Amino acid sequence: MRALLLGLSGLLITWSGIALADTKLPARITPGANEIRYFTSIDGLMDGNADAILKETRQGKAVSAAVLDVCYPVDKNSDRKDRFVVNLAVNGQTLSGTTQSLVDKAPVTVKLTRKPTGDTFEFRGQIAIGQDVTEVASTDNSDISEREFQDSQSTDDGITPQPKDFTEVSPESVGVRIKLDAALDFLKSLKGQDVEVGVSSLAVTCDAMRAGQQTINLSVDPERAPGLIEKAKSFPGVTAAGWTTGMVEMDRAIRISAADWRDGGKLNKDKLANAVGNVLSKTLAAKLSASNWNSTTGKLKLSFKRPSQLYPALGLTETVEVVGLVAPDRPGASDRLMLWIGTPAISTNDENAGAKLILSDDSSGEEEGDQKDDSGSIEALAKELNGQRWDADKSAWK
């Protein structure tokens, strides 16, 4: 019996050793270690218009330090932003501090009460900016780890300094990333230049304010885009310059031989415009009425006219406008050109002699979006100009 008990005891010890070896013990947490947590939104702050980030340093469940970063519109009807970053003193559940905004230098006072509510947190209190006081009453706020926060902050403005071709970036579209304190001088340097500045890129976003730099979007004739990019790279404060996405969509692009459309190494724009106009006259069943190249952006604009079929007895006229762009199929020397043709825009007018019927375009956005049937114009151009279409499935010309 004693031998049996000893055997069972040894077996139990062996099993216990195996069980302990297979069990992964939780990682030991160092007492008093700091943990960083973030709130990337505080619901309802400044009527929901503010972009807020609250960074907390915790020891266990207690907050030992906090920093509040708030980006907000200076006026509810304005796209212009201001921002403040304030170090908050922690006194129990109260977070408070003072600072001034970074742009308008307005005085800022923050006093918040932070209260855990299960798995979320509640913030109440006031934020005063100048004479404006905002009441804060925000519930159900969740926090995230530092790694999750850093992953959420990664952004890509799409600038490609050296693309292998123009299948993912557009030949007329240039992006310039520049430090905020240098942006004004850069924009002033563009005055009087043959380049278009994207109005939407002038707005300094909250992401740009936090990064300390913004991206200016420009449109330029593809022939002059390389020179503009090189010049921009040398401008003080510019951190990146290159091509980015623009008007070109590959499903409406064809690739053609450059030799057929160049005279003395330069593009014969009149010859190409006439060829494109002749093809579109047939596919659109319309007569070419005007053709011109934009010296700033290099865009080709073709206008066609045809009788409107909406109400034939009125003798109305449809004007069909098509915008195109031509450029080498890649930066640098190339023996191929890429021709892009946009979706036709159609308007109806009374062009009869004498008193005219005044018409308004009351079509909805969905109806306008349906005006994409251009009677096979892209396919007809590819056939007439011996061009290739883009195969999206294979990511190659066919």
Side-chain angles (χ1 to χ4, degrees):
M1 175 64 75
R2 183 177 180 182
L4 179 60
L5 289 173
L6 288 173
L8 289 172
S9 298
L11 185 58
L12 287 172
I13 292 172
T14 302
W15 283 350
S16 299
I18 294 173
L20 287 171
D22 289 342
T23 300
K24 293 184 179 180
L25 297 176
R28 184 174 297 175
I29 299 174
T30 305
N34 288 336
E35 180 186 17
I36 305 298
R37 303 292 292 183
Y38 288 85
F39 294 91
T40 55
S41 66
I42 298 179
D43 295 335
L45 187 62
M46 296 182 180
D47 298 323
N49 295 319
D51 182 328
I53 298 173
L54 176 62
K55 176 183 177 181
E56 292 185 347
T57 303
R58 300 178 190 170
Q59 290 184 331
K61 293 184 179 181
V63 178
S64 59
V67 179
L68 180 62
D69 180 337
V70 178
C71 176
Y72 57 94
V74 295
D75 183 89
K76 62 182 180 181
N77 297 317
S78 173
D79 289 331
R80 189 170 72 86
K81 300 289 196 301
D82 201 348
R83 174 183 173 225
F84 68 81
V85 181
V86 57
N87 293 313
L88 299 174
V90 181
N91 184 8
Q93 291 187 334
T94 301
L95 308 175
S96 61
T98 60
T99 187
Q100 65 178 11
S101 66
L102 300 179
V103 180
D104 291 344
K105 308 302 181 184
V108 176
T109 301
V110 177
K111 187 173 183 179
L112 299 175
T113 300
R114 171 190 182 276
K115 180 182 178 182
T117 54
D119 293 332
T120 60
F121 296 81
E122 175 182 290
F123 294 95
R124 295 185 181 275
Q126 291 181 335
I127 295 178
I129 303 175
Q131 301 299 315
D132 296 327
V133 179
T134 298
E135 297 292 334
V136 179
S138 181
T139 60
D140 297 328
N141 296 285
S142 299
D143 59 338
I144 60 175
S145 69
E146 188 163 24
R147 168 173 277 187
E148 291 171 322
F149 173 75
Q150 295 299 337
D151 289 344
S152 70
Q153 296 305 294
S154 59
T155 57
D156 182 11
D157 53 17
I159 294 177
T160 307
Q162 295 179 319
K164 62 181 179 63
D165 56 34
F166 289 126
T167 57
E168 294 186 1
V169 292
S170 202
E172 91 297 347
S173 186
V174 171
V176 178
R177 190 188 312 133
I178 187 169
K179 294 180 180 178
L180 294 180
D181 58 4
L184 178 58
D185 288 339
F186 175 72
L187 289 166
K188 286 182 177 179
S189 75
L190 298 176
K191 288 188 174 184
Q193 303 298 312
D194 256 353
V195 57
E196 286 185 354
V197 180
V199 173
S200 62
S201 70
L202 295 179
V204 182
T205 65
C206 292
D207 287 341
M209 294 190 77
R210 290 185 175 121
Q213 54 188 3
Q214 70 182 112
T215 299
I216 306 296
N217 295 323
L218 309 172
S219 294
V220 66
D221 189 321
E223 290 183 351
R224 292 185 286 107
L228 176 63
I229 291 170
E230 288 306 309
K231 185 177 179 180
K233 287 179 179 178
S234 65
F235 198 91
V238 169
T239 58
W243 285 272
T244 185
T245 55
M247 64 188 297
V248 172
E249 299 171 346
M250 293 307 297
D251 62 340
R252 299 189 64 81
I254 62 174
R255 189 170 71 163
I256 59 179
S257 170
D260 297 336
W261 308 101
R262 285 178 177 162
D263 288 336
K266 293 196 66 176
L267 176 67
N268 188 328
K269 292 185 175 182
D270 290 338
K271 180 180 178 181
L272 182 59
N274 288 334
V276 173
N278 289 336
V279 172
L280 297 185
S281 290
K282 297 175 183 177
T283 58
L284 298 173
K287 184 178 180 180
L288 180 65
S289 59
S291 170
N292 67 80
W293 294 85
N294 186 305
S295 62
T296 299
T297 63
K299 298 176 186 176
L300 169 64
K301 184 177 180 180
L302 300 170
S303 295
F304 303 83
K305 291 186 182 295
R306 64 190 181 192
S308 172
Q309 301 303 314
L310 287 175
Y311 203 117
L314 287 174
L316 303 177
T317 300
E318 281 186 349
T319 299
V320 185
E321 291 187 344
V322 179
V323 175
L325 188 75
V326 64
D329 65 337
R330 63 176 184 266
S334 177
D335 60 356
R336 300 295 183 101
L337 296 174
M338 185 170 70
L339 172 66
W340 172 84
I341 298 295
T343 302
I346 304 172
S347 59
T348 304
N349 296 285
D350 184 352
E351 297 185 358
N352 293 301
K356 302 182 186 303
L357 196 63
I358 299 175
L359 303 174
S360 65
D361 185 2
D362 55 0
S363 58
S364 68
E366 291 182 358
E367 291 172 339
E368 290 175 358
D370 291 335
Q371 294 180 355
K372 293 185 178 180
D373 181 11
D374 47 7
S375 304
S377 294
I378 306 301
E379 192 62 43
L381 281 168
K383 182 177 180 180
E384 182 67 22
L385 305 181
N386 296 315
Q388 298 171 288
R389 298 288 304 274
W390 179 253
D391 189 329
D393 293 333
K394 297 181 179 179
S395 295
W397 293 101
K398 58 181 179 179

